Amino acid sequence: MLTGKNLIAGEWRNGAAQFTAVEAASGAALEPAFAQGSAQDVADACAAAAAAQPLYAALPLSQRAAFLRSMAAKIDALGDTLTQRAMLESGLPEARLNGERGRTVGQLRLFAEEVENGGWQGLRIDHAQPDRAPLPKPDLRMRKIPVGPVAVFGASNFPLAFSVAGGDTASALAAGCCVVVKGHPAHPGTSELVAGAILAAIHEAGLPEGVFSLVNGTENALGEALVKDPRIAAVGFTGSRAGGLALMGHAAARPVPIPVYAEMSSVNPVVLMPARMEEAAEALGNAYVGSLSLGAGQFCTNPGIVLAIESAATTRFIATVAEALAAIPAQTMLTPGIQSAYAKGIAAIAGHGATLVGTGAEGSGTCGRAQVFTVSGTDFRANPALGHEVFGPSSIIVTCADMDEVAAILAGMEGQLTTTLHMAPGDYPAARDLMPILEGLAGRIIANAWPTGVEVTHAMVHGGPFPATSDGRSTSVGTLAIDRFLRPVSYQDLPAALLPKALLDGPSTVLRRVDGRFETQG
């Protein structure tokens, strides 16, 4: 049963003020009422995290990995209880949330394997050369260590995979960092269930309870207090550009600034190359509508802009889109606020001169209606507002005069999470010319697929140049996400008795770079 309490370093704590979650589909209040976290809750959680940090960071990698696997097992064991609560709070369908639970526990297990692998430590050994002239060379050894306690902000659109135990939390814990989560106010019940599973895993592993805390609340001041707490060393955030920029401002204004890894805004441009359009305009139109309307369009990788060259094939594509849209039902959006912002965004697109191609079925309440617009390349370039993200099931088809105009539009766009090329072999020369632009534009380049959906693997990059993320050198998905919460430390001429075990000479099962060469011994 839900308690409505915050979890502060193992203590389920009430608050002086309360708020209620609402059912996404109806707007009706859900039981129980939840405690509003306070500045004191934040301070206590951060103090406990700082106290637990040295012990957790020093944990043997095998034990850290076992803890991550225990988290995965206990979250998975919540089963239908977790799914049903998340359905109420988010309006997302059962199959989607069951899949998201699988992704959540799967990435915890993937990070457990990564922790045991040890390569993420970046181990390097450069042996001394005392006889080198004109000066001797010192002994230098390097590894990456955890930065310290991390603040994580739960996302609205992924109440499991980007929330309390999502990718930011998983990668921070894998790096050896304690975590304080600011739960998203739209799904506090879901957050509490997951937090309880994490606490059970902490107890099972015999870890300090300060390793993890959850603070819920609706006030922006709560997140501000968390980012400004001097014991927090880094921040993970997925949400709006306004929210991400606000956190970045708070972090930069601290006496000791800290990094904020924020995923914020992306329209994920898709280029429909001419030869591919000629052979598959109708198939592309149907697949496009399926992608943009998936999950009521509430994906950070939604195809918000499609670029195509004016042609008979493009006309067929647009006609197919209009027909396919008519069969798309209105879908419940995550929150009334998101639905309201979506309606305003759609109105803004129309107000900037875009022509409506077609719409999905009309809905009521907090439902979002799929809508697609079209505009010429000339008008799109003349109106930068058309390139702004509208979070929901909408998109703009930009009809261009030729590939030069396509290239010019892409070169003028803001940083993106993804960009996509739909192409046939005859398009490869033109696509090759676009590649330098695409590499500078986005963190992931996709061929002949649609961007919705992010695979959790070692090679995945879910990041991109600003404003897709606050730091285009990072990713929030995949094992490389661990790098955000590590920093390098070099040890010069330290005696063996003071060196970390992983940097001692002798056999090693971990990939290391020794005197400039990568080698695995043992």
Side-chain angles (χ1 to χ4, degrees):
M1 293 181 63
L2 295 173
T3 67
K5 298 179 181 179
N6 293 304
L7 177 61
I8 310 299
E11 175 192 353
W12 292 104
R13 187 181 292 185
N14 271 317
Q18 293 183 320
F19 71 101
T20 57
V22 300
E23 184 179 7
S26 68
L30 294 171
E31 294 292 336
F34 287 86
Q36 288 271 14
S38 66
Q40 188 61 54
D41 292 330
V42 168
D44 291 346
C46 293
Q53 182 61 45
L55 296 172
Y56 183 63
L59 204 67
L61 298 187
S62 60
Q63 293 183 35
R64 195 186 300 173
F67 168 53
L68 293 172
R69 291 193 178 100
S70 176
M71 280 178 56
K74 294 183 185 308
I75 292 169
D76 211 15
L78 291 170
D80 196 52
T81 299
L82 181 61
T83 299
Q84 293 301 315
R85 181 69 191 197
M87 287 173 63
L88 288 173
E89 292 181 332
S90 68
L92 296 171
E94 182 175 13
R96 152 71 192 275
L97 287 167
N98 282 334
E100 191 180 328
R101 188 176 80 244
R103 172 177 167 176
T104 302
V105 301
Q107 65 191 3
L108 284 166
R109 290 172 178 137
L110 180 64
F111 273 112
E113 294 175 4
E114 184 72 1
V115 167
E116 289 176 326
N117 173 275
W120 53 272
Q121 297 171 95
L123 302 174
R124 299 184 179 203
I125 298 175
D126 295 326
H127 288 104
Q129 296 177 10
D131 298 328
R132 189 186 68 175
L135 294 172
K137 175 185 174 183
D139 183 275
L140 287 164
R141 302 173 188 233
M142 191 207 84
R143 67 169 178 161
K144 296 178 182 178
I145 66 169
V147 297
V150 172
V152 170
F153 287 75
S156 63
N157 60 335
F158 281 85
L160 301 176
F162 272 92
S163 194
V164 174
D168 288 339
T169 297
S171 55
L173 290 173
C177 299
C178 297
V179 172
V180 180
V181 173
K182 164 60 175 66
H184 196 281
H187 41 76
T190 304
S191 298
E192 183 185 322
L193 289 169
V194 175
I198 297 173
L199 180 60
I202 286 172
H203 289 160
E204 182 175 88
L207 300 179
E209 292 178 325
V211 166
F212 173 85
S213 292
L214 167 68
V215 184
N216 279 314
T218 60
E219 302 299 324
N220 291 338
L222 197 63
E224 179 180 348
L226 180 56
V227 172
K228 287 183 175 180
D229 191 285
R231 290 156 292 208
I232 293 296
V235 178
F237 170 85
T238 297
S240 69
R241 186 188 304 198
L245 292 176
L247 296 183
M248 290 167 63
H250 297 321
R254 290 174 31 145
V256 178
I258 59 173
V260 175
Y261 298 101
E263 180 203 317
M264 298 180 290
S265 180
S266 186
V267 295
N268 308 294
V270 176
V271 181
L272 304 179
M273 305 291 285
R276 180 58 179 157
M277 279 285 275
E278 284 292 338
E279 66 184 26
E282 290 79 10
L284 288 169
N286 285 309
Y288 165 52
V289 171
S291 178
L292 73 90
S293 62
L294 184 67
Q298 297 167 122
F299 287 87
C300 45
T301 51
N302 210 47
I305 301 291
V306 169
L307 305 174
I309 294 174
E310 293 178 3
S311 67
T314 297
T315 300
R316 299 200 319 269
F317 169 79
I318 292 174
T320 301
V321 169
E323 183 178 354
L325 280 168
I328 301 298
Q331 300 175 68
T332 300
M333 300 195 76
L334 293 162
T335 69
I338 287 174
Q339 192 275 337
S340 175
Y342 173 67
K344 292 176 181 176
I346 289 296
I349 293 174
H352 290 302
T355 301
L356 185 65
V357 168
T359 68
E362 189 171 1
S364 59
T366 57
C367 284
R369 186 182 193 183
Q371 301 191 51
V372 173
F373 298 82
T374 188
V375 67
S376 70
T378 300
D379 289 343
F380 183 84
R381 294 172 68 185
N383 197 336
L386 289 172
H388 294 169
E389 180 186 33
V390 176
F391 189 67
S394 72
S395 186
I396 301 174
I397 300 169
V398 183
T399 55
C400 303
D402 49 33
M403 288 304 299
D404 287 341
E405 187 168 42
V406 170
I409 288 173
L410 291 171
M413 295 187 80
E414 297 180 322
Q416 304 292 329
L417 293 171
T418 74
T419 186
T420 300
L421 293 172
H422 281 276
M423 54 191 170
D427 296 311
Y428 290 175
R432 188 177 298 112
D433 291 340
L434 289 179
M435 286 301 293
I437 298 174
L438 303 182
E439 289 171 341
L441 177 63
R444 179 162 54 114
I445 303 169
I446 301 165
N448 293 331
W450 293 91
T452 37
V454 181
E455 191 70 30
V456 183
T457 69
H458 300 292
M460 174 54 66
V461 172
H462 189 61
F466 185 88
T469 58
S470 56
D471 187 338
R473 299 166 297 177
S474 66
T475 176
S476 61
V477 176
T479 54
L480 190 62
I482 196 173
D483 277 0
R484 299 174 297 169
F485 307 121
L486 298 167
R487 68 176 182 86
V489 175
S490 185
Y491 305 83
Q492 182 171 329
D493 288 332
L494 260 69
L498 297 181
L499 282 171
K501 183 179 179 180
L503 291 176
L504 293 174
D505 289 329
S508 172
T509 59
V510 176
L511 181 68
R512 302 191 300 186
R513 191 169 187 177
V514 180
D515 295 326
R517 300 183 63 182
F518 288 103
E519 61 180 48
T520 302
Q521 300 172 332

